[in-house]
Amino acid sequence: MTDHTYGAYGAAGAEPLDVGTVRARGELDWEDSQEFVRRLTAALERPPRLLVVDFAEVTFADSSVLHGLLTAHRRMAEAGGRLVLAGPLREPVRRLLDLSSAADHLHLAADADAAVRGASGPDVPRSPQVPPV
């Protein structure tokens, strides 16, 4: 199961960030991955500056999920944004990333909060005109 949200996040006193979130949970096999990729695609219709893909509750992911993540990562980079895969990642997901060497290409964070906190660095574009959530 997946869902996505959009909002403005940032550290206290800092300029808000344009952040989208896609959360997934459970086993993302071929059937479930189709819905996950649809949610990722929907989140990219108006690409945020930061797209956090929360995999904390994902117990399994297959290569179709990996393809969707890498495609979204490329599209975000082309749009001037960043995709961050947030954990903690379970062993089957970590193994998929390691065996495919995708961990070398994706931005990873310990959890969704760390992904947003890490986005306050100078290399992440900011969007001051984000509608309130």
Side-chain angles (χ1 to χ4, degrees):
M1 175 177 213
T2 59
D3 64 309
H4 75 274
T5 57
Y6 171 81
Y9 304 92
E15 205 173 285
L17 294 172
D18 180 10
V19 179
T21 304
V22 175
R23 288 183 181 86
R25 59 182 165 250
E27 292 190 13
L28 296 180
D29 57 14
W30 172 253
E31 280 185 41
D32 296 322
S33 71
Q34 303 307 304
E35 178 63 21
F36 170 72
V37 170
R38 276 193 287 280
R39 298 286 183 168
L40 265 179
T41 302
L44 295 173
E45 286 177 8
R46 184 185 154 269
R49 289 290 169 204
L50 174 66
L51 179 60
V52 177
V53 181
D54 187 343
F55 262 38
E57 296 182 38
V58 174
T59 57
F60 173 82
D62 69 10
S63 61
S64 58
V65 172
L66 180 60
H67 180 264
L69 285 170
L70 292 171
T71 299
H73 170 77
R74 179 185 47 80
R75 287 185 57 197
M76 284 295 295
E78 289 171 353
R82 175 182 285 185
L83 181 145
V84 178
L85 182 62
L89 301 177
R90 310 243 176 128
E91 184 57 32
V93 175
R94 173 62 69 183
R95 188 173 32 241
L96 174 68
L97 297 177
D98 290 344
L99 289 174
S100 64
S101 297
D104 296 338
H105 303 285
L106 295 171
H107 302 285
L108 304 176
D111 58 39
D113 290 337
V116 174
R117 280 193 314 268
S120 62
D123 59 337
V124 178
R126 300 195 178 244
S127 178
Q129 299 176 343
V130 178
V133 178

